[in-house]
Amino acid sequence: GAVVSQHPSRVICKSGTSVKIECRSLDFQATTMFWYRQFPKQSLMLMATSNEGSKATYEQGVEKDKFLINHASLTLSTLTVTSAHPEDSSFYICSGQGYNEQFFGPGTRLTVL
Amino acid sequence: KQEVTQIPAALSVPEGENLVLNCSFTDSAIYNLQWFRQDPGKGLTSLLLIQSSQREQTSGRLNASLDKSSGRSTLYIAASQPGDSATYLCAVSQDNFNKFYFGSGTKLNVKP
């Protein structure tokens, strides 16, 4: 199947700093990419949908000014957590849509101290 | 808003048993349903994808069924193995843009 990578796999940062997470589709072009987060012992919750070259669509309750999404090319989307706080600590997973199916990245574990 | 529920939340079985995981969803107007496996601290591995027009899909020891009208899906695992131990997630999408709504998962432990 198609492969989606994420970088970094794990990041620890201090409260108030910004963190950028990259999501790449390695062997297909993803017109649409999705960002999810998963809190401990909970399921994945969709945060936003991003289409290449346009603004992301955020789910209800997700602050668009805090979670900046850029989808500048068909193989790369980035999520920037601005002014991160401990409550933003979570597992962030991206996915890319290709071949009429969604392929998920391995996830990024963010810990905010 | 679509809500997806998975029962049981956790399941422990001895190796070799056949087992069934359940998934239900509140809005039957789905585009497709997918079962995933998630290992601790890892991303998702797709197991089976069922389009809304299909009733079931099979892959090896796995069989997934879909009853759209009743809002239910089951994942059947035959002859379970310790390597099957993981969390199994059910997700539904309601359009071809593949925006998924996930269940909370069933954590499976297969004991040797």
Side-chain angles (χ1 to χ4, degrees):
Chain A
V3 178
V4 173
S5 70
Q6 280 185 242
H7 178 78
S9 59
R10 184 181 296 268
V11 57
I12 301 173
C13 69
K14 293 182 179 180
S15 182
T17 60
S18 294
V19 175
K20 180 185 284 189
I21 302 171
E22 291 186 349
C23 175
R24 293 183 184 272
S25 57
L26 298 185
D27 50 3
F28 69 102
Q29 294 184 328
T31 308
T32 304
M33 285 186 169
F34 303 88
W35 286 95
Y36 298 82
R37 64 181 166 186
Q38 185 178 34
F39 292 108
K41 298 186 179 180
Q42 295 185 26
S43 192
L44 279 75
M45 297 294 293
L46 179 66
M47 298 176 65
T49 303
S50 78
N51 292 295
E52 185 262 341
S54 63
K55 290 184 179 180
T57 302
Y58 291 81
E59 294 299 300
Q60 192 173 7
V62 178
E63 301 173 56
K64 63 179 181 179
D65 294 330
K66 181 171 184 62
F67 298 99
L68 301 180
I69 292 174
N70 182 278
H71 192 165
S73 78
L74 289 172
T75 58
L76 174 63
S77 176
T78 60
L79 168 67
T80 301
V81 183
T82 62
S83 186
H85 291 285
E87 58 266 29
D88 299 322
S89 297
S90 187
F91 192 54
Y92 292 85
I93 299 179
C94 72
S95 68
Q97 184 175 341
Y99 310 114
N100 207 31
E101 194 174 330
Q102 209 175 127
F103 300 95
F104 286 80
T108 296
R109 173 77 59 193
L110 170 63
T111 303
V112 185
L113 303 176
Chain B
K1 181 185 174 185
Q2 179 73 268
E3 292 187 6
V4 183
T5 304
Q6 290 186 245
I7 294 173
L11 182 63
S12 184
V13 300
E15 182 177 4
E17 269 201 13
N18 303 325
L19 56 101
V20 175
L21 308 181
N22 297 290
C23 172
S24 61
F25 44 95
T26 54
D27 186 347
S28 62
I30 65 170
Y31 186 77
N32 60 39
L33 181 146
Q34 197 158 356
W35 283 92
F36 296 89
R37 169 187 173 136
Q38 185 177 30
D39 292 284
K42 306 287 185 181
L44 305 180
T45 301
S46 175
L47 298 174
L48 289 165
L49 169 66
I50 310 177
Q51 301 294 344
S52 62
S53 58
Q54 297 174 322
R55 299 282 296 190
E56 67 177 340
Q57 283 286 336
T58 298
S59 175
R61 293 182 295 108
L62 306 179
N63 175 274
S65 68
L66 173 64
D67 184 344
K68 201 172 70 165
S69 61
S70 67
R72 296 180 187 277
S73 175
T74 61
L75 178 66
Y76 175 82
I77 302 177
S80 58
Q81 303 171 357
D84 295 332
S85 298
T87 296
Y88 290 80
L89 297 170
C90 163
V92 299
S93 68
Q94 294 188 262
D95 53 46
N96 61 357
F97 299 111
N98 271 328
K99 186 168 86 170
F100 277 119
Y101 294 92
F102 281 85
S104 53
T106 294
K107 186 174 183 179
L108 173 65
N109 179 35
V110 180
K111 298 172 288 186

